[in-house]
């Protein structure tokens, strides 16, 4: 890389005078990185900005017109990078899938997006009540799209939450989708490699070039990339089509006996039909009971006080349940549990006013990054053609292939049907869906830092310390057998 042929010689401070009919010496046609870097370091050796500018002025005075033209053309070529980043932009809808299933891969994809898109693609991006959300065929979001995977009878008179809970139960019993997503790990390693190359390009370009109005900064391109990365993350956060959404990590649970005083979040207003939900798998000889709205005081022990105790399952989960339990397993009974979890996402339709304002701010920040980036690259001095070509090739390749890898990982992860997603119109409707899912037996549900089995909380944990928070579907489901004791 340090011996890439250059159109002209890298100046060493001397006169490049040569008769226009004479050829330049062969040594002058080779790019010397060390010489180029040491010259910039010598300019920045000043004790303050004034001294640095004085050194820069002296160095520029010794540059001949031939090399000045090369430097100007190279700096002009680098100004294409902010434009390319603004055009590539961030694929918010696709990255939303990657981020939900594999948060680390989602963040890496954002870092490779080279900034946010400045021009909105839809007028509905700023509407509080936007149109329906689509994944471009990657997965189903409505009951019409789910009919192929979960056929329904036309005579089914159950409510939509009951039907959706039944689909969750069917999915938990589906033994397909047990792959460990080795290819996704390959994609993550490729993304890490491209991010490393981007950081190398930032260091490489800043090593021997100088910004006149920011003379002492030896990491000016790294500053530009930091702005671009923040813009990409901000664009993805603002571009999420839902302000409120709840993610449940579901897996099949083995047969357990759970204490009756374990906290429960079932708030069903009427008994659940046995046709919709099979009897609870329990070693207890007592017949299964189906809770109603009558909840005893002993059923809840909150870690934070509630101003008004609510029967809303979401209020109970967001406040937090004080639970640390133990379950019993019969070591003579066979059992089977999921090897790979799946996700149930309940999203509330529309976005809040603050969310819409954040989208406007993200576009303004993208414009600011574009203007600042163009100014920085246009002002760079002592940039040779070799450096310019190398940096442009690395940065654009990272942006393009980073997008390809993100889309490839999304298609790989979606093959095992790892997500069931439903869009609802209100918080109360979302609570109703989650309530019916909690009423299912023989499943383990991880939600908001709690672990529920058969509708009862058996453990609470710090979600930021869980591997599932960072590695998503690549992390194994919660192992309830670690909390179990044998009979």
């Amino acid at each position: 890389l340090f011996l890439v042929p250059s159109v002209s010689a890298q100046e060493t401070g001397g006169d490049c005078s040569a008769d226009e009919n004479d050829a330049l010496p062969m040594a002058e046609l080779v790019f010397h990185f060390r010489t180029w870097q040491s010259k910039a370091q010598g300019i920045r050796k000043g004790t303050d900005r004034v001294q640095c500018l004085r050194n820069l002025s002296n160095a520029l005075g010794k540059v001949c017109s031939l090399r000045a033209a090369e430097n100007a053309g190279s700096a002009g070529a680098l100004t294409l990078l902010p434009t390319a980043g603004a055009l590539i932009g961030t694929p918010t809808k696709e990255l939303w899938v990657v981020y939900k299933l594999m948060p680390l891969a989602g963040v890496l994809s954002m870092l490779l997006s080279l900034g946010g898109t400045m021009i909105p693609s839809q007028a509905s991006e700023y509407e509080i009540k936007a149109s329906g959300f689509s994944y471009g065929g990657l997965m189903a979001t409505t009951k019409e799209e789910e009919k192929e995977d979960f056929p329904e009878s036309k005579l089914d008179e159950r409510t939509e939450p009951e039907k959706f809970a039944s689909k969750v139960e069917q999915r938990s019993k589906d033994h397909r989708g047990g792959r460990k997503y080795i290819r996704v790990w390959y994609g993550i390693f490729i993304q890490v490699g491209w991010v490393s190359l981007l950081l190398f390009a930032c260091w490489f370009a800043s090593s021997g070039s100088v910004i006149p109005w920011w003379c002492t900064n030896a990491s000016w391109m790294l500053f530009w990339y930091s702005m671009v990365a923040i813009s990409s993350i901000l664009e993805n956060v603002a571009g999420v089509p839902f302000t409120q959404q709840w993610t449940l990590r579901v897996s099949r649970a083995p047969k357990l006996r759970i204490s009756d005083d374990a906290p429960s979040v079932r708030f069903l207003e009427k008994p659940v039909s046995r046709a919709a939900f099979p009897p609870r798998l329990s070693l207890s000889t007592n017949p299964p009971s189906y809770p109603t709205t009558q909840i005893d005081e002993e059923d809840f022990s909150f870690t934070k006080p509630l101003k008004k105790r609510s029967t809303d399952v979401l209020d109970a989960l967001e406040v937090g349940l004080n639970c640390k339990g133990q379950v019993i397993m019969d070591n003579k009974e066979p059992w089977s549990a999921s090897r790979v979890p799946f996700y149930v996402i309940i999203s509330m339709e529309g976005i809040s006013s603050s969310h819409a304002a954040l989208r406007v701010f993200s576009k303004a920040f993208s414009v600011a990054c574009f203007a600042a980036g163009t100014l920085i690259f246009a002002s760079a001095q002592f940039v040779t053609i070799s450096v310019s070509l190398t940096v442009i090739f690395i940065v654009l390749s990272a942006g393009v292939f980073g997008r390809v890898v993100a889309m490839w990982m999304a298609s790989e992860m979606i093959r095992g049907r790892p997500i069931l997603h439903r869009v609802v119109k209100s918080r109360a409707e979302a609570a109703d869906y989650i309530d019916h899912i909690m009423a299912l037996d023989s499943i383990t549900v991880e939600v908001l830092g709690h672990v529920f089995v058969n509708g009862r909380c058996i453990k609470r944990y710090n979600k930021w310390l869980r591997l599932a928070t960072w590695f998503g579907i690549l992390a194994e489901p919660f192992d309830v057998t670690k909390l179990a004791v044998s009979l």
Side-chain angles (χ1 to χ4, degrees):
L1 182 60
F2 298 154
L3 297 177
V4 179
S6 179
V7 173
S8 68
Q10 170 59 36
E11 64 279 355
T12 58
D15 184 16
C16 58
S17 59
D19 188 81
E20 59 183 24
N21 295 322
D22 296 337
L24 292 174
M26 181 60 64
E28 293 286 326
L29 294 176
V30 179
F31 171 63
H32 297 281
F33 173 77
R34 297 300 179 187
T35 303
W36 179 65
Q37 183 185 41
S38 60
K39 182 173 184 178
Q41 291 175 347
I43 294 174
R44 298 190 183 102
K45 278 185 179 179
T47 58
D48 53 16
R49 181 171 178 271
V50 175
Q51 182 63 36
C52 181
L53 291 175
R54 185 178 295 113
N55 295 340
L56 177 61
S57 179
N58 293 334
L60 290 175
K62 298 178 182 179
V63 177
C64 67
S65 58
L66 178 63
R67 294 182 178 86
E70 177 190 0
N71 294 342
S74 302
L78 288 179
T79 58
L80 295 176
L81 293 181
T83 304
L87 293 177
I88 294 175
T90 52
T92 303
K93 292 183 179 181
E94 293 85 352
L95 283 189
W96 188 84
V97 178
V98 178
Y99 179 78
K100 277 296 180 182
L101 293 178
M102 175 55 180
L104 179 60
V107 172
L108 291 174
S109 300
M110 296 176 196
L111 296 180
L112 293 173
S113 295
L114 302 181
T117 306
M118 294 189 297
I119 302 176
S121 58
Q122 303 178 52
S124 61
E125 289 188 7
Y126 304 103
E127 294 180 3
I128 303 300
K129 291 291 185 179
S131 57
F133 177 72
S134 173
Y135 295 95
L138 282 179
M139 54 182 285
T141 60
T142 64
K143 57 180 179 296
E144 288 78 11
E145 294 172 326
E146 289 174 351
K147 287 181 179 179
E148 295 182 2
D149 293 334
F150 303 98
E152 296 180 1
S153 172
K154 294 182 179 180
L155 301 178
D156 194 344
E157 297 180 354
R158 293 177 299 172
T159 63
E160 289 302 324
E162 289 176 343
K163 293 179 183 178
F164 186 74
S166 179
K167 294 171 184 176
V168 173
E169 184 182 28
Q170 293 177 41
R171 178 61 183 84
S172 68
K173 295 179 180 179
D174 190 348
H175 296 281
R176 294 176 297 175
R179 52 192 300 174
K180 294 299 288 184
Y181 302 104
I182 298 299
R183 294 182 180 179
V184 179
W185 282 111
Y186 293 155
I188 293 174
F189 292 143
I190 293 174
Q191 285 183 321
V192 172
W194 280 117
V195 172
S196 302
L197 284 175
L198 266 176
L199 296 177
F200 167 77
C202 294
W203 168 81
F204 182 60
S206 304
S207 295
S209 55
V210 181
I211 305 296
W213 45 270
W214 207 358
C215 185
T216 57
N217 191 334
S219 304
W220 56 269
M221 189 171 175
L222 184 61
F223 172 77
W224 167 78
Y225 179 63
S226 300
M227 291 194 307
V228 166
I230 294 174
S231 175
S232 299
I233 295 175
L234 187 62
E235 176 78 9
N236 277 274
V237 171
V240 172
F242 314 106
T243 299
Q244 289 187 312
Q245 52 187 344
W246 299 268
T247 303
L248 289 72
R249 203 164 185 260
V250 183
S251 58
R252 192 172 61 256
K255 299 178 182 180
L256 301 171
R257 181 189 297 176
I258 303 172
S259 173
D260 292 335
D261 61 355
S264 173
V265 290
R266 294 179 175 180
F267 292 107
L268 294 177
E269 297 181 356
K270 57 183 179 180
V272 186
S273 65
R274 295 175 181 268
F277 305 105
R280 178 181 304 175
L281 294 176
S282 173
L283 298 180
S284 174
T285 57
N286 298 327
S289 59
Y290 295 91
T292 63
T293 53
Q294 301 297 325
I295 303 297
D296 296 332
E297 287 291 326
E298 292 78 12
D299 285 345
F300 285 92
S301 178
F302 292 100
T303 56
K304 297 179 182 179
L306 274 175
K307 294 182 179 179
K308 182 179 180 181
R309 186 153 299 179
S310 172
T311 57
D312 189 344
V313 60
L314 296 178
D315 291 342
L317 291 173
E318 291 172 358
V319 169
L321 297 175
N322 185 8
C323 57
K324 181 180 179 181
Q326 188 178 72
V327 297
I328 298 177
M329 290 184 63
D330 188 349
N331 55 11
K332 296 181 180 179
E333 287 286 335
W335 61 276
S336 175
S338 300
R339 178 169 172 258
V340 176
F342 66 96
Y343 284 73
V344 177
I345 301 177
I346 308 297
S347 303
M348 194 171 77
E349 188 179 74
I351 61 175
S352 63
S353 299
S354 58
H355 194 160
L358 181 62
R359 290 186 173 183
V360 176
F361 175 77
S362 68
K363 297 300 181 184
F365 190 78
S366 298
V367 173
C369 290
F370 172 77
T374 304
L375 177 64
I376 289 175
F377 286 116
S379 303
Q381 301 296 323
F382 307 119
V383 181
T384 66
I385 291 295
S386 300
V387 174
S388 179
L389 288 176
T390 302
V391 171
I392 291 176
F393 176 78
I394 293 177
V395 174
L396 293 184
S397 298
V400 173
F401 289 104
R403 174 71 57 83
V404 173
V405 172
M407 298 301 96
W408 174 65
M409 287 193 297
S411 63
E412 283 293 322
M413 289 187 289
I414 214 69
R415 285 184 179 180
R417 296 190 305 166
I419 290 183
L420 290 178
H421 185 206
R422 180 52 54 88
V423 179
V424 297
K425 296 183 179 298
S426 65
R427 179 182 172 89
E429 188 178 355
D432 195 18
Y433 273 85
I434 295 176
D435 194 7
H436 281 79
I437 294 173
M438 289 294 186
L440 294 172
D441 292 315
S442 302
I443 65 169
T444 301
V445 179
E446 302 172 54
V447 54
L448 296 178
H450 300 81
V451 179
F452 291 88
V453 178
N454 299 342
R456 291 192 176 274
C457 181
I458 61 173
K459 185 176 178 59
R460 189 179 182 188
Y461 57 82
N462 187 338
K463 63 180 182 179
W464 300 111
L465 301 180
R466 286 274 296 165
L467 290 178
T469 303
W470 307 103
F471 295 99
I473 201 170
L474 300 185
E476 295 183 354
F478 185 85
D479 188 2
V480 297
T481 59
K482 294 182 179 179
L483 301 177
V485 294
S486 301
L487 289 175

